[in-house]
Amino acid sequence: MAFYGLILIPLLLLRNILISDAKGSLAQFGEQPLSRIAIHKTEFVLHDSACISVSPVLLGLEGQNSEWVNVEYTYSSPSNDDWIGVFSPADFSNSICEAENTWVEPPLLCTAPIKYQFAKYLNADYNITGKGLLRLQLINQREDFSFALFSGGLSKPKLVAVSNKVTFVNPKAPLYPRLAQRKFWDEMTVTWTSGYSLNEATPFVEWGPKGESKVHSSAGTITLTRNSMCGSPARTVGWRNPGFIHTSFLKELWPNMMYTYRMGHRLFNGSIVWSKSYSFKASPYPGQDSLQRVVIFGDLGKAEADRSNEYNDFEPGSLNTTYQVAKDLKNIDMVIHIGDLCYANGYLSQWDQFTAQIEPIASTVPYMVGIGNHERDWPGSGSFYGNLDSGGECGVLAKTMFYSPAENTDKFWYSTDFGMFRFCIANTEHDWRPGTEQYNFIEHCLSSVDRQKQPWLIFLAHRVLGYSSADFYGDEGTTGEPMGRESLQDLWQKYKVDIALYGHVHNYERTCPVYENQCVQKGSDHYTGPFNATTHVVVGGGGASLADYTATRAKWSYFRDHDFGFVKLTAFNHSTLLLEYKKSSDGKVYDHFTISRDYRDILACTVGSCPSTTLAF
């Protein structure tokens, strides 16, 4: 039994630490589904009476990047605890943890499945007949697949049968493009994933104005190793090779013009492997007076269309949010996902599944991300909070899978301009208090914007640095992160931040215009005239399991909704801004407010925003 200690101890620590991360993390909203499987305890008891087979065996014959397969299985000693695990690469039993020292023997199996489902699911009589059929969805993840039948439940798995192998026609194909704005308004980045190293092929993007001639832009390539991770499970049972991540910069774009693009890999024999074609609309010129629409949410996560493992458990609203945003893409110009992206929590296969899920969105409009506790936090890694929420990823996957225009991607705070908007995106997993590097960034971002050209100043962060009625904050006697509001409220007021948006708390809540815990102006659906105070909005209901409110409602809490949803900001012009809160279940608007004002209203003084005056000559 001693050899289990290498993996078991970190996993137990992961579970035990949850109580210290009550702020919207696993303790309150469930654990990563794959972490429930004690794969390191697997016993090999392959049985002649057990059989599992999968069809079809060759996927993507018509260029698809995802496909459904039929899984049939039989077992002479069935039980309610039997389950099916999907493994990739297919030869999963060959992937074992290396012993970290000569005194501890590694477990027999150190590869978590990429998804699982119980054998009895939709097979009510499985426990009697020992026969079952599942339909599961696979996405192209650069390797082949096999399916395994286990008895003994998730805590004491016994491997009784392994299926035939299944693979995509080209498992190395370039996939899942993610657009992002670069540091300059007229540049767009394309990031994608493939199985091609630089020793096999040269990556590039072919692009140009729609219907016109195309050019090629080269791409950089990076990859990761186990040693890139900070700890378990990312370095152990959760490790899966993330492939090669490529990023290309498309420059000198014309404002508002439609472009088409596709990713390519030129093999050394001269042939080219192409992705399918995509399109996007270039960003407007900073200050341009036109209709501009930005969707914002946090804590989306990923879910499975085949209802395997985490469906209706870990991130029940994720697919609905993704669907509603994708359905409305003709009326959306940019998306900002403010942290807690996919909740992989150290199970790297989930990043592929997440980028596949958001591909319809991220391939069409810039998909800007902030960093949250489930991407960054890990003891001894420089994160402000020393918990285990990232599962050993310590921010490496987030900054690798998604481009951001941050000066330092380890710190991951940045500003981005879009037409009449200035967005200041903070990183709550690093210190933001006065005197820190991030505090200086926040002040510079807020103070340097030209409000005549970009009147709409928006602050975003993952954890709530402003106001929230979440019960877990209330249990600590606070309404947000300690030292958050106290450190930053004078900046918001001084520089007249219109709206501050947060994730982390898995619900929706809007305040009145509030400063120093007091409503400076009554909550309303329409504000006009000079700025009075910042309106704070929690929009962490993207998909992860919902959070409750405190029993007592604060005076500054104007509207709240215990449901999944997202926010849409619409700048009609330099004088009118609309915020809408939409439910993910139906895409309808359930809360909204407008701000109407002129540039002279921004110049006007309000409490805390203008220096004291003197009568001296």
Side-chain angles (χ1 to χ4, degrees):
M1 295 292 290
F3 64 86
Y4 296 138
L6 175 64
I7 307 305
L8 181 58
I9 291 175
L11 289 178
L12 288 176
L13 284 173
L14 178 60
R15 294 187 177 98
N16 293 339
I17 200 69
L18 302 184
I19 190 64
S20 71
D21 184 39
K23 301 181 180 68
S25 69
L26 306 183
Q28 188 162 2
F29 307 117
E31 58 192 338
Q32 219 297 334
L34 296 177
S35 72
R36 301 168 188 165
I37 303 173
I39 200 69
H40 56 287
K41 291 185 176 182
T42 299
E43 296 180 27
F44 293 89
V45 289
L46 296 175
H47 207 288
D48 292 339
S49 67
C51 179
I52 181 170
S53 62
V54 185
S55 62
V57 297
L58 190 58
L59 310 178
L61 290 172
E62 298 179 4
Q64 312 98 305
N65 298 325
S66 67
E67 197 162 340
W68 291 77
V69 297
N70 297 312
V71 186
E72 296 185 71
Y73 43 94
T74 61
Y75 186 32
S76 63
S77 303
S79 74
N80 287 329
D81 291 335
D82 296 351
W83 55 279
I84 308 295
V86 184
F87 290 84
S88 179
D91 294 327
F92 62 92
S93 60
N94 292 333
S95 177
I96 63 172
C97 291
E98 297 179 1
E100 293 191 2
N101 60 66
T102 58
W103 303 102
V104 180
E105 186 177 347
L108 296 176
L109 183 59
C110 188
T111 302
I114 62 174
K115 66 168 66 179
Y116 70 92
Q117 182 57 275
F118 286 99
K120 66 181 180 180
Y121 179 73
L122 297 182
N123 296 280
D125 59 351
Y126 169 78
N127 198 34
I128 301 172
T129 67
K131 296 181 179 181
L133 172 66
L134 288 175
R135 278 182 55 79
L136 297 176
Q137 187 180 44
L138 298 180
I139 65 165
N140 193 339
Q141 291 186 255
R142 300 172 306 284
E143 297 282 358
D144 53 6
F145 303 84
S146 63
F147 295 66
L149 175 60
F150 291 85
S151 64
L154 302 180
S155 60
K156 297 179 179 179
K158 297 178 176 61
L159 179 62
V160 299
V162 180
S163 77
N164 53 291
K165 297 180 181 180
V166 175
T167 188
F168 279 84
V169 172
N170 182 9
K172 293 186 175 184
L175 297 170
Y176 318 130
R178 288 89 72 184
L179 298 175
Q181 290 204 139
R182 209 180 174 207
K183 296 178 182 179
F184 302 102
W185 69 270
D186 62 347
E187 297 182 358
M188 190 75 74
T189 65
V190 183
T191 299
W192 73 96
T193 307
S194 86
Y196 290 111
S197 72
L198 290 177
N199 294 326
E200 299 174 277
T202 301
F204 64 96
V205 173
E206 181 183 80
W207 64 283
K210 189 173 183 179
E212 299 182 20
S213 60
K214 304 295 186 285
V215 297
H216 290 180
S217 291
S218 62
T221 299
I222 56 176
T223 190
L224 304 172
T225 67
R226 284 184 193 261
N227 291 334
S228 304
M229 305 294 103
C230 288
S232 178
R235 289 178 70 138
T236 54
V237 296
W239 168 258
R240 185 180 188 276
N241 192 313
F244 298 93
I245 314 302
H246 316 279
T247 298
S248 182
F249 303 117
L250 316 186
K251 302 180 180 181
E252 298 183 357
L253 304 177
W254 288 78
N256 308 301
M257 180 171 285
M258 291 298 302
Y259 287 85
T260 60
Y261 71 97
R262 59 177 176 167
M263 301 90 72
H265 290 263
R266 187 183 302 276
L267 305 179
F268 293 137
N269 64 8
S271 62
I272 298 176
V273 178
W274 293 107
S275 72
K276 67 179 184 179
S277 293
Y278 302 89
S279 63
F280 68 88
K281 183 181 179 181
S283 302
Y285 188 83
Q288 178 181 308
D289 197 334
S290 63
L291 186 66
Q292 296 156 16
R293 303 147 301 184
V294 180
V295 163
I296 301 171
F297 52 79
D299 306 74
L300 178 65
K302 56 159 285 288
E304 299 288 350
D306 58 19
R307 307 172 80 92
S308 59
N309 47 313
E310 59 269 81
Y311 191 87
N312 278 339
D313 184 6
F314 194 51
E315 287 118 9
S318 178
L319 290 180
N320 283 343
T321 300
T322 304
Y323 170 75
Q324 294 296 348
V325 174
K327 187 176 71 170
D328 195 37
L329 276 177
K330 290 184 178 179
N331 301 306
I332 297 170
D333 300 305
M334 185 166 71
V335 169
I336 303 178
H337 186 166
I338 45 176
D340 282 6
L341 307 181
C342 70
Y343 291 85
N345 297 351
Y347 291 85
L348 274 64
S349 64
Q350 306 302 284
W351 283 95
D352 283 318
Q353 296 177 30
F354 176 71
T355 54
Q357 177 177 313
I358 65 168
E359 181 196 32
I361 303 168
S363 64
T364 307
V365 299
Y367 196 97
M368 312 302 293
V369 301
I371 202 163
N373 51 303
H374 285 284
E375 286 80 52
R376 182 62 185 87
D377 290 0
W378 191 256
S381 68
S383 58
F384 195 39
Y385 297 83
N387 54 51
L388 304 176
D389 287 359
S390 75
E393 293 178 13
C394 54
V396 174
L397 267 297
K399 71 176 186 178
T400 302
M401 300 296 287
F402 289 89
Y403 174 86
S404 78
E407 291 292 337
N408 184 332
T409 56
D410 285 329
K411 297 171 181 176
F412 220 98
W413 57 70
Y414 63 93
S415 66
T416 189
D417 294 330
F418 189 86
M420 295 175 285
F421 288 104
R422 160 67 62 87
F423 296 102
C424 299
I425 301 174
N427 178 359
T428 55
E429 311 317 300
H430 279 274
D431 197 347
W432 60 80
R433 293 172 295 180
T436 64
E437 183 181 0
Q438 181 167 199
Y439 181 91
N440 294 337
F441 154 77
I442 293 171
E443 181 162 28
H444 179 265
C445 184
L446 300 178
S447 65
S448 61
V449 61
D450 183 343
R451 299 296 289 273
Q452 185 176 8
K453 294 180 178 179
Q454 295 173 289
W456 309 118
L457 182 55
I458 313 297
F459 177 83
L460 304 101
H462 176 64
R463 294 177 187 261
V464 180
L465 300 182
Y467 298 82
S468 168
S469 298
D471 60 351
F472 56 80
Y473 281 136
D475 291 343
E476 296 182 349
T478 185
T479 55
E481 294 298 318
M483 303 173 289
R485 185 167 64 247
E486 294 79 4
S487 298
L488 299 175
Q489 62 182 346
D490 287 342
L491 293 183
W492 298 327
Q493 196 70 7
K494 178 180 179 180
Y495 298 112
K496 302 174 183 176
V497 173
D498 297 296
I499 304 171
L501 297 111
Y502 315 98
H504 199 57
V505 177
H506 303 169
N507 56 38
Y508 173 80
E509 185 169 22
R510 170 164 71 97
T511 72
C512 59
V514 58
Y515 177 55
E516 293 185 336
N517 216 40
Q518 300 294 321
C519 289
V520 178
Q521 187 175 1
K522 290 184 178 180
S524 174
D525 293 338
H526 182 65
Y527 303 105
T528 185
F531 170 90
N532 286 295
T534 302
T535 297
H536 296 258
V537 180
V538 172
V539 62
S545 301
L546 295 169
D548 292 327
Y549 302 102
T550 55
T552 303
R553 187 163 184 167
K555 292 182 179 179
W556 43 255
S557 179
Y558 180 71
F559 185 97
R560 59 192 194 184
D561 184 45
H562 188 259
D563 205 348
F564 302 104
F566 54 94
V567 155
K568 182 178 181 180
L569 295 179
T570 301
F572 293 99
N573 48 48
H574 285 74
S575 300
T576 305
L577 175 67
L578 168 67
L579 180 146
E580 298 170 294
Y581 163 67
K582 299 185 177 185
K583 284 184 185 284
S584 299
S585 57
D586 58 15
K588 295 181 180 178
V589 176
Y590 285 82
D591 181 39
H592 73 279
F593 70 94
T594 57
I595 300 174
S596 298
R597 62 160 179 256
D598 297 320
Y599 177 56
R600 62 182 179 180
D601 295 322
I602 299 175
L603 297 177
C605 290
T606 189
V607 56
S609 70
C610 285
S612 57
T613 59
T614 177
L615 295 177
F617 291 100

